[in-house]
Amino acid sequence: MSDLVFQEPTKQIKNVADLATWKKSQAYSDYMGFVRLMNTTVKGKKLTDECNVSETCQKLITMIDTLDGWAEEIPPLQQPQRYGNQAFRTWHTKLKEKGSVTTPGLITGLASRGTTRTFLCCLFKLRVLEETDSEAVVHRVFDRYLEFMRKLQTKYMMEPAGSQGVWGLDDFQFLPYIWGSSQLLGHPKVSPKDFVEQDVSHFYKDEYMFMACIEYINQVKTGPFAEHSNQLWNISGVMHWTKVNSGLIKMYMEEVLGKFPVVQHFHFGNLMSMKPA
């Protein structure tokens, strides 16, 4: 990789017609390969299971801890509007000013909600992360990232992307439902119909990523679950976690990676290329 000349990543999905090129691109193939590899790696495993945490994974966790510390130093401002506390701008400015100095260019990518998944995919492509890191990437790095994102969302009242969320499934995220449902494959006690019960999601929130997502929804939303999270309510009617998992992957490809309002923000360069796969 030392001889590779990196090009500045740019937006290349500029209209709906570019979606066809994106779906046939090397970047799309590489990214979905990454998603499926992580999905397979955590099949039937708990967040609390022991796993190897390499030096690289620990550095990534430390980066998130640093970002979390900055949020602790920057309290929300008293303001009239409900969403989007202006103090987040202060946090983000600090990220742009100190991120590259603190962790040579990596921290900025990790902190962005829209680019974290591709950031981790790129680290695998660069062999900074190895396949042996896969479980720790999901259970330690990504889970810590989710914890931090929820902190930003609640502390600075981050506004969801639309009343139902741009992801269709959740106001802010989708991927933890995929990997989280893989963790629950073959569970002897919990079936999909159980996760809508608050006592069930609360009991298992520290062990399964899917349950932690549901627990968070129950904390920030009020009213009947079927009304504020209709897609998830429908999923609870599926008989087996295997079908939930495969269905969520298909939904992710169609409703997230296949939607122009989402992927228009993606950047492409050497590592994530729009060239045909």
Side-chain angles (χ1 to χ4, degrees):
M1 286 293 180
S2 60
D3 296 329
L4 181 62
V5 178
F6 287 96
Q7 68 184 60
E8 185 72 21
T10 59
K11 293 183 179 181
Q12 296 181 33
I13 303 177
K14 299 179 179 179
N15 52 61
V16 175
D18 291 333
L19 289 175
T21 303
W22 151 239
K23 291 179 180 180
K24 296 178 181 179
S25 70
Q26 188 63 52
Y28 188 94
S29 177
D30 289 342
Y31 178 68
M32 280 310 303
F34 160 73
V35 171
R36 292 180 187 277
L37 173 61
M38 300 301 107
N39 188 65
T40 300
T41 298
V42 300
K43 180 180 178 180
K45 297 178 181 178
K46 301 177 183 178
L47 289 167
T48 52
D49 287 349
E50 290 293 325
C51 66
N52 174 60
V53 180
S54 66
E55 182 180 354
T56 300
C57 286
Q58 186 55 56
K59 286 181 178 179
L60 292 172
I61 295 168
T62 300
M63 285 189 222
I64 305 172
D65 290 341
T66 299
L67 298 178
D68 196 311
W70 293 349
E72 286 293 326
E73 298 169 1
I74 303 171
L77 299 174
Q78 295 296 321
Q79 62 179 46
Q81 66 260 42
R82 179 182 176 188
Y83 288 116
N85 193 280
Q86 296 298 313
F88 178 74
R89 291 184 178 181
T90 305
W91 179 88
H92 194 260
T93 297
K94 186 168 185 176
L95 171 67
K96 292 189 291 184
E97 291 176 349
K98 294 189 176 182
S100 59
V101 175
T102 305
T103 52
L106 295 181
I107 200 167
T108 304
L110 189 66
S112 172
R113 179 165 60 94
T115 61
T116 300
R117 292 85 165 147
T118 50
F119 171 75
L120 292 171
C121 179
C122 286
L123 293 185
F124 275 103
K125 292 195 69 175
L126 287 168
R127 303 301 295 273
V128 174
L129 290 169
E130 301 287 348
E131 191 168 336
T132 52
D133 290 312
S134 297
E135 187 176 347
V137 164
V138 178
H139 284 178
R140 300 296 184 268
V141 179
F142 192 68
D143 188 59
R144 178 67 182 94
Y145 164 78
L146 289 174
E147 179 187 10
F148 171 55
M149 285 295 102
R150 289 170 186 141
K151 179 175 183 174
L152 288 184
Q153 290 157 14
T154 54
K155 184 167 188 171
Y156 298 125
M157 297 300 292
M158 308 294 283
E159 187 172 6
S163 60
Q164 298 299 320
V166 73
W167 313 106
L169 194 69
D170 185 286
D171 284 344
F172 294 102
Q173 61 226 341
F174 196 116
L175 204 53
Y177 289 98
I178 296 177
W179 295 341
S181 60
S182 181
Q183 291 177 310
L184 286 158
L185 290 176
H187 197 285
K189 296 181 179 179
V190 181
S191 63
K193 67 179 176 59
D194 298 319
F195 75 76
V196 294
E197 302 294 334
Q198 289 196 28
D199 57 338
V200 174
S201 61
H202 182 74
F203 184 81
Y204 288 105
K205 64 183 174 60
D206 296 326
E207 295 184 344
Y208 299 103
M209 193 173 286
F210 193 105
M211 296 301 181
C213 290
I214 301 300
E215 173 75 1
Y216 179 65
I217 287 176
N218 288 330
Q219 289 176 351
V220 300
K221 293 192 174 184
T222 58
F225 193 92
E227 293 182 9
H228 62 61
S229 301
N230 185 255
Q231 287 274 28
L232 287 168
W233 176 263
N234 291 336
I235 288 171
S236 71
V238 178
M239 289 294 292
H240 304 291
W241 287 112
T242 301
K243 192 169 182 64
V244 170
N245 184 247
S246 61
L248 284 173
I249 292 175
K250 292 177 182 177
M251 185 179 175
Y252 185 61
M253 295 169 71
E254 293 174 4
E255 300 300 325
V256 180
L257 300 185
K259 295 297 185 181
F260 177 72
V262 179
V263 298
Q264 65 175 325
H265 302 293
F266 288 8
H267 287 68
F268 301 88
N270 299 73
L271 290 175
M272 303 301 286
S273 171
M274 276 285 276
K275 294 180 180 179

